[in-house]
């Protein structure tokens, strides 16, 4: 009985007339939208929205498109391997090493206290290396320098020294690259996406409300146009209410769209992107210019020795 009383109480709180009215408006709006899409409504029977609203609508669309276009490219900064040349091969090797270690460690821990032979504790896999192009160049140059020097007749092989200088420069560049990506994620990507998903999204939602209100108004006008005398007064009231609703929602949408367009945050975010990139490229330029002169001297000396050897 208590359950029945709760159900009865819940039903008594429902305004079926209001719910029915909303359902009817929603159906009429859908019919109106379908007729407009099929070209069954004359242009003069579609309520014209204010020119200011339409101009703001176009500007917000352009702002949203700008956010999406730049975001599509800059999201690569969320993954440090975006310029790494051998990412797939090394990832497979690292996954294999990690899997082998985990299996061996599991066996070593779980076979203790049994009659089965316990395998020796495996050596942990090597630490994960950063996967960026600067890091790859750093490792390659250092490895090449060591290989050349190991087989060189003397301790001061020119190519080994040049490769070591190049590796030293790219150690600085690699660190700067990580700093750039972190700065871009924090100061550009996060706020850029926030603007897109909050203020722009709210303005778009307000525009959808305007469109629905406009459809309800035009549907109400059609109902008034086709109403018999007994229902004309009620239909006229529905049109007036729909007009008031459209005016109110249009004003809200205009305010929200203006707020979005006046927001200085996107320009600030773009400035942060440029600053992070500038710092990275300037650091890279400084590091390379520092060692390029020494490599140039080694190059000139090596070419002189080569020509000298050819003259004899």
């Amino acid at each position: 009985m208590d359950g029945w009383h709760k159900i009865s109480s819940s039903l008594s709180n429902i305004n079926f007339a209001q719910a029915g009215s909303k359902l009817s408006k929603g159906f009429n709006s859908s019919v109106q939208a379908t007729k407009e899409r099929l070209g069954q409504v004359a242009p003069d029977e579609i309520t014209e929205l204010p020119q200011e609203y339409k101009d703001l609508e176009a500007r917000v669309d352009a702002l949203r498109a700008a956010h999406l276009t730049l975001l599509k490219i800059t999201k690569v900064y969320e993954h440090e391997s975006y310029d790494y040349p051998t990412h797939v091969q090394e990832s497979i090797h690292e996954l294999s090493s990690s899997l082998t270690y985990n299996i061996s460690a599991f066996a070593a821990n779980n076979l203790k206290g049994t009659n089965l032979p316990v395998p020796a504790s495996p050596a942990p896999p090597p630490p994960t290396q950063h996967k960026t192009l600067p890091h790859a160049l750093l490792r390659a140059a250092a490895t090449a320098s060591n290989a050349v020097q190991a087989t060189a007749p003397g301790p001061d092989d020119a190519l080994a020294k040049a490769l070591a200088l190049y590796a030293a420069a790219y150690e600085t560049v690699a660190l700067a690259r990580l700093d750039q990506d972190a700065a871009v994620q924090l100061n550009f990507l996060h706020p850029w996406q926030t603007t897109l998903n909050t203020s722009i999204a709210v303005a778009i939602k307000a525009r959808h409300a305007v469109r629905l209100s406009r459809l309800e108004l035009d549907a109400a006008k059609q109902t008034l146009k086709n109403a018999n005398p007994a229902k004309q007064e009620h239909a006229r009231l529905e049109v007036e209410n729909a007009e008031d609703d459209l005016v109110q929602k249009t004003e809200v949408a205009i305010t929200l769209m203006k707020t979005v367009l006046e927001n200085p945050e996107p320009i600030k975010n773009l400035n942060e992107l440029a600053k992070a990139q500038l710092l990275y490229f300037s650091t890279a330029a400084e590091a390379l210019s520092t060692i390029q002169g020494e490599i140039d001297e080694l190059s000139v000396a090596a070419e002189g020795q080569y020509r000298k050897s050819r003259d004899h």
Side-chain angles (χ1 to χ4, degrees):
M1 292 296 292
D2 289 341
W4 173 250
H5 285 310
K6 290 181 180 179
I7 294 174
S8 299
S9 177
S10 299
L11 290 175
S12 64
N13 292 329
I14 298 176
N15 189 330
F16 287 99
Q18 184 179 11
S21 176
K22 288 183 178 179
L23 184 62
S24 177
K25 287 181 179 180
F27 175 76
N28 291 340
S29 297
S30 298
V31 172
Q32 180 71 19
T34 301
K35 287 182 177 180
E36 290 180 9
R37 189 166 54 250
L38 297 176
Q40 297 177 353
V41 179
D44 59 352
E45 293 183 338
I46 298 175
T47 300
E48 185 78 10
L49 295 172
Q51 187 60 45
E52 179 187 19
Y53 175 88
K54 292 189 287 185
D55 291 342
L56 290 171
E57 195 174 32
R59 291 181 62 196
V60 169
D61 284 341
L63 179 64
R64 181 175 182 272
H67 273 71
L68 290 172
T69 299
L70 201 55
L71 188 62
K72 183 178 180 181
I73 303 301
T74 53
K75 278 184 73 68
V76 297
Y77 285 103
E78 293 179 339
H79 311 283
E80 73 170 28
S81 59
Y82 57 80
D83 60 354
Y84 196 65
T86 56
H87 171 63
V88 175
Q89 294 87 332
E90 291 197 9
S91 290
I92 293 174
H93 174 71
E94 289 174 0
L95 179 62
S96 176
S97 299
S98 177
L99 185 61
T100 301
Y101 169 76
N102 290 333
I103 292 174
S104 300
F106 176 82
N109 291 330
N110 287 273
L111 293 179
K112 291 178 180 179
T114 69
N115 295 326
L116 297 174
V118 179
S121 297
T128 302
Q129 297 177 323
H130 287 292
K131 291 181 173 60
T132 73
L133 180 58
H135 283 89
L137 289 170
L138 160 61
R139 291 191 288 267
T143 300
S145 176
N146 292 334
V148 171
Q149 188 59 60
T151 58
D156 296 320
D157 184 87
L159 179 56
K161 185 176 181 180
L163 286 166
L165 288 168
Y166 187 80
Y170 260 92
E171 185 173 8
T172 300
V173 175
L175 291 173
R177 163 60 204 283
L178 296 178
D179 290 342
Q180 173 204 233
D181 291 3
V184 170
Q185 290 175 34
L186 178 64
N187 300 322
F188 174 76
L189 281 176
H190 177 68
W192 194 259
Q193 289 176 305
T194 299
T195 299
L196 181 64
N197 297 331
T198 55
S199 55
I200 294 179
V202 169
I204 297 294
K205 186 176 180 180
R207 284 167 44 183
H208 288 324
V210 170
R211 179 179 180 275
L212 180 60
S213 182
R214 199 272 302 163
L215 287 170
E216 289 178 354
L217 171 58
D218 289 344
K221 288 180 178 178
Q222 290 296 319
T223 300
L224 174 61
K225 181 179 178 180
N226 300 321
N228 58 47
K231 294 184 177 181
Q232 278 192 349
E233 184 60 27
H234 179 266
R236 186 176 295 105
L237 289 174
E238 288 293 327
V239 170
E240 291 177 359
N241 291 335
E243 287 176 339
D244 292 341
D245 183 71
L246 178 59
V247 169
Q248 180 183 5
K249 288 180 177 174
T250 301
E251 290 176 350
V252 170
I254 286 175
T255 299
L256 289 173
M257 287 191 290
K258 283 182 177 180
T259 301
V260 169
L261 293 168
E262 293 168 358
N263 182 14
E265 195 69 13
I267 299 178
K268 177 183 174 183
N269 301 154
L270 187 61
N271 181 48
E272 292 295 333
L273 173 63
K275 280 170 58 178
Q277 293 171 326
L278 174 61
L279 181 59
Y280 168 58
F281 289 121
S282 61
T283 301
E286 182 180 355
L288 290 171
S289 64
T290 300
I291 58 97
Q292 191 274 327
E294 295 183 61
I295 295 178
D296 186 55
E297 291 177 4
L298 291 170
S299 174
V300 171
E303 188 173 356
Q305 290 178 1
Y306 176 78
R307 289 180 177 178
K308 185 177 180 180
S309 67
R310 289 295 181 179
D311 292 338
H312 293 290

Short mmCIF file of all heavy atoms in Angstrom, two decimals, residues 2 69 90-91 99 119 125 152 164 186 223 230 269:
data_model
loop_
_atom_site.label_atom_id
_atom_site.label_comp_id
_atom_site.label_asym_id
_atom_site.label_seq_id
_atom_site.Cartn_x
_atom_site.Cartn_y
_atom_site.Cartn_z
N ASP A 2 1.98 1.21 0.76
CA ASP A 2 2.85 2.38 0.79
C ASP A 2 3.38 2.70 -0.60
O ASP A 2 3.50 3.87 -0.99
CB ASP A 2 4.02 2.13 1.75
CG ASP A 2 3.56 2.14 3.20
OD1 ASP A 2 2.47 2.68 3.44
OD2 ASP A 2 4.30 1.61 4.05
N THR A 69 40.43 24.22 -36.20
CA THR A 69 41.49 24.07 -37.20
C THR A 69 42.87 24.03 -36.55
O THR A 69 43.69 23.16 -36.85
CB THR A 69 41.43 25.23 -38.21
OG1 THR A 69 40.16 25.21 -38.88
CG2 THR A 69 42.53 25.11 -39.25
N GLU A 90 61.02 0.77 -31.95
CA GLU A 90 61.53 0.81 -30.59
C GLU A 90 60.43 0.51 -29.59
O GLU A 90 60.68 -0.09 -28.55
CB GLU A 90 62.18 2.16 -30.29
CG GLU A 90 63.47 2.38 -31.08
CD GLU A 90 64.31 3.50 -30.49
OE1 GLU A 90 63.96 3.98 -29.39
OE2 GLU A 90 65.30 3.88 -31.12
N SER A 91 59.21 0.90 -29.87
CA SER A 91 58.12 0.61 -28.95
C SER A 91 57.90 -0.89 -28.85
O SER A 91 57.67 -1.43 -27.77
CB SER A 91 56.83 1.30 -29.42
OG SER A 91 56.93 2.68 -29.28
N LEU A 99 57.65 -7.08 -21.18
CA LEU A 99 56.83 -8.28 -21.01
C LEU A 99 57.68 -9.44 -20.49
O LEU A 99 57.27 -10.17 -19.58
CB LEU A 99 56.17 -8.65 -22.34
CG LEU A 99 55.19 -9.83 -22.32
CD1 LEU A 99 54.03 -9.51 -21.39
CD2 LEU A 99 54.68 -10.12 -23.73
N PRO A 119 63.45 -19.50 -11.11
CA PRO A 119 64.38 -18.78 -11.99
C PRO A 119 65.02 -17.61 -11.26
O PRO A 119 64.48 -17.09 -10.29
CB PRO A 119 63.48 -18.29 -13.13
CG PRO A 119 62.12 -18.20 -12.52
CD PRO A 119 62.05 -19.32 -11.52
N PRO A 125 64.07 -4.03 -17.09
CA PRO A 125 64.28 -3.49 -18.43
C PRO A 125 64.93 -2.12 -18.35
O PRO A 125 64.81 -1.43 -17.34
CB PRO A 125 62.86 -3.40 -19.00
CG PRO A 125 61.96 -3.31 -17.81
CD PRO A 125 62.65 -4.13 -16.74
N ALA A 152 89.65 4.69 -33.96
CA ALA A 152 90.56 5.72 -34.49
C ALA A 152 91.99 5.44 -34.06
O ALA A 152 92.24 4.90 -32.97
CB ALA A 152 90.13 7.09 -34.00
N ALA A 164 80.74 14.40 -31.21
CA ALA A 164 80.56 14.64 -29.79
C ALA A 164 80.04 16.06 -29.54
O ALA A 164 79.18 16.28 -28.68
CB ALA A 164 81.87 14.40 -29.05
N LEU A 186 50.25 23.26 -21.29
CA LEU A 186 49.70 23.98 -20.14
C LEU A 186 49.10 25.33 -20.52
O LEU A 186 48.00 25.68 -20.09
CB LEU A 186 50.81 24.18 -19.09
CG LEU A 186 50.41 24.96 -17.83
CD1 LEU A 186 49.35 24.20 -17.05
CD2 LEU A 186 51.64 25.22 -16.97
N THR A 223 -0.57 27.44 -36.86
CA THR A 223 -1.75 26.95 -36.14
C THR A 223 -2.82 28.04 -36.07
O THR A 223 -4.02 27.78 -36.28
CB THR A 223 -1.35 26.52 -34.71
OG1 THR A 223 -0.37 25.48 -34.79
CG2 THR A 223 -2.56 26.01 -33.95
N ALA A 230 -13.36 29.20 -32.84
CA ALA A 230 -13.41 28.84 -31.41
C ALA A 230 -12.03 28.72 -30.80
O ALA A 230 -11.87 28.89 -29.58
CB ALA A 230 -14.17 27.51 -31.25
N ASN A 269 46.24 32.95 -25.48
CA ASN A 269 46.69 31.57 -25.67
C ASN A 269 47.62 31.44 -26.86
O ASN A 269 48.64 30.74 -26.80
CB ASN A 269 45.48 30.65 -25.87
CG ASN A 269 44.50 30.68 -24.72
OD1 ASN A 269 43.32 30.41 -24.92
ND2 ASN A 269 44.95 31.04 -23.52
#
